[in-house]
Amino acid sequence: MFTTAFRDHLNGEATTVAYCWKLTSTAGKMLGFTNHDQSLFFAGTAYTPGIGADGTQALAQADFQAGQQEALGILSSDDLSEQDLTAGLWDNAQVEVYLVNWQEPEAQHHLLRRGALGEVSRDASIFRAEFRSIAARLSETKGRQLSHQCHADLGDSKCGVDLTSPAYMKHVSIIRQEGSNRLVIEGQSDVSAGWWSHGKLTFVAGPYINHPLRILNHSKEEGLHKVALWAPLVLEQSFPVSAKVFTGCDKSWGTCQAKFQNSDSFRGFPHMPGNDFILAGPASQSGANNGAKLVG
């Protein structure tokens, strides 16, 4: 709700308002921007005029369909670089949009909408970012899914596995990079090949600090562990560097049972018959097809 003073200001003959955008990345980094020509500060966050942005028409549906808005801007901020956007450091970042009286920002500001940063595209120095409102979550699949694989994410409340346990999280030293997405890890003789496949890795220093990087597969060659990431590293990372590596799960019943001893929390249906079972008819050459009672 707008405060009385802010509402009176908006109803006046002349207004002094600006828009502010607050971005919070999945790694916890926070940036504030405004379309005002001077920096603004309120609620503990500074909003700089280092980026020009022009929002397209926002669409909001009364029946809880996901609202859509596209932001068009010029990359003129040293804090929000094109390289960071390309590297995915701001994918799924939380976005808050405020309307602010720039003469009294602390006392007169109002949260207009909240959502997440979606697809980002670029054209020279211009970027377009999709704004996904909170209502977009209503279109996500809810409830349990009929699948052989588990639909929980490793470590979430449904899974229950504690990924901070030393059994599943290791502090390692990454000594070098091979190619665009392959990292070489030193030591860790007690870890077997494949243990980190489908897991995650976070650097403790450098441009990717605290940003979760998804691991595709993990191999062991000549005493050295090598992990291949799903996406290439496009920012320059210095080596050696310390990192935290979390084990992964392929969401199968066998992995849940043998690797994590967590079968009681498995959120799949491993014994569900597949399409082949449903479509298959009786075996015509089998002597058991005589109409007699089936014996289990």
Side-chain angles (χ1 to χ4, degrees):
M1 296 291 292
F2 285 93
T3 63
T4 301
F6 198 7
R7 187 183 300 110
D8 291 342
H9 176 75
L10 294 175
N11 291 330
E13 295 182 359
T15 60
T16 54
V17 295
Y19 287 99
C20 291
W21 291 267
K22 180 180 177 181
L23 276 65
T24 306
S25 72
T26 55
K29 186 177 181 180
M30 188 180 301
L31 294 177
F33 303 104
T34 178
N35 62 351
H36 190 49
D37 57 1
Q38 295 182 10
S39 295
L40 301 175
F41 183 87
F42 61 89
T45 302
Y47 297 83
T48 65
I51 186 171
D54 180 22
T56 61
Q57 181 181 10
L59 302 178
Q61 306 292 343
D63 56 355
F64 295 104
Q65 294 183 31
Q68 298 177 350
Q69 184 180 15
E70 184 184 77
L72 175 66
I74 302 174
L75 290 173
S76 56
S77 171
D78 293 335
D79 295 323
L80 185 63
S81 68
E82 183 176 0
Q83 289 77 16
D84 289 348
L85 290 171
T86 304
L89 300 187
W90 292 98
D91 288 354
N92 300 314
Q94 296 301 303
V95 183
E96 297 176 2
V97 184
Y98 291 89
L99 183 66
V100 184
N101 179 357
W102 51 262
Q103 289 188 329
E104 299 183 56
E106 190 66 56
Q108 298 184 22
H109 63 268
H110 179 74
L111 177 63
L112 294 178
R113 61 184 65 91
R114 182 186 287 115
L117 197 65
E119 181 180 358
V120 179
S121 59
R122 304 157 197 84
D123 181 10
S125 61
I126 305 297
F127 78 93
R128 291 177 173 84
E130 179 190 19
F131 178 85
R132 297 174 181 169
S133 68
I134 295 179
R137 299 177 185 175
L138 296 176
S139 63
E140 298 176 355
T141 302
K142 305 297 181 181
R144 301 193 67 176
Q145 304 173 29
L146 294 176
S147 170
H148 289 96
Q149 290 187 313
C150 179
H151 72 262
D153 292 325
L154 181 63
D156 68 8
S157 58
K158 295 178 181 179
C159 170
V161 171
D162 182 10
L163 288 179
T164 63
S165 167
Y168 304 126
M169 188 269 287
K170 295 285 187 180
H171 293 273
V172 302
S173 176
I174 301 178
I175 57 178
R176 66 177 182 271
Q177 178 179 342
E178 294 180 351
S180 62
N181 70 327
R182 196 173 178 86
L183 302 174
V184 180
I185 299 175
E186 185 179 36
Q188 305 299 323
S189 58
D190 58 330
V191 177
S192 58
W195 182 258
W196 290 321
S197 294
H198 310 292
K200 292 183 180 180
L201 178 149
T202 57
F203 291 112
V204 301
Y208 291 95
I209 184 171
N210 296 330
H211 183 74
L213 302 172
R214 295 176 58 200
I215 298 173
L216 174 61
N217 58 58
H218 164 218
S219 61
K220 191 172 182 180
E221 303 173 13
E222 299 179 354
L224 293 175
H225 295 273
K226 298 185 178 182
V227 294
L229 304 177
W230 278 92
L233 297 178
V234 299
L235 301 178
E236 186 174 351
Q237 174 71 51
S238 299
F239 297 95
V241 63
S242 298
K244 293 186 292 186
V245 188
F246 300 87
T247 190
C249 179
D250 61 5
K251 298 180 178 290
S252 69
W253 164 258
T255 298
C256 184
Q257 189 176 35
K259 186 174 184 178
F260 301 102
Q261 295 79 50
N262 194 43
S263 56
D264 289 345
S265 298
F266 188 75
R267 289 296 189 270
F269 300 86
H271 308 299
M272 180 180 66
N275 291 337
D276 291 344
F277 176 84
I278 297 173
L279 296 176
S284 60
Q285 303 301 321
S286 173
N289 297 323
N290 55 11
K293 179 180 178 180
L294 295 177
V295 179

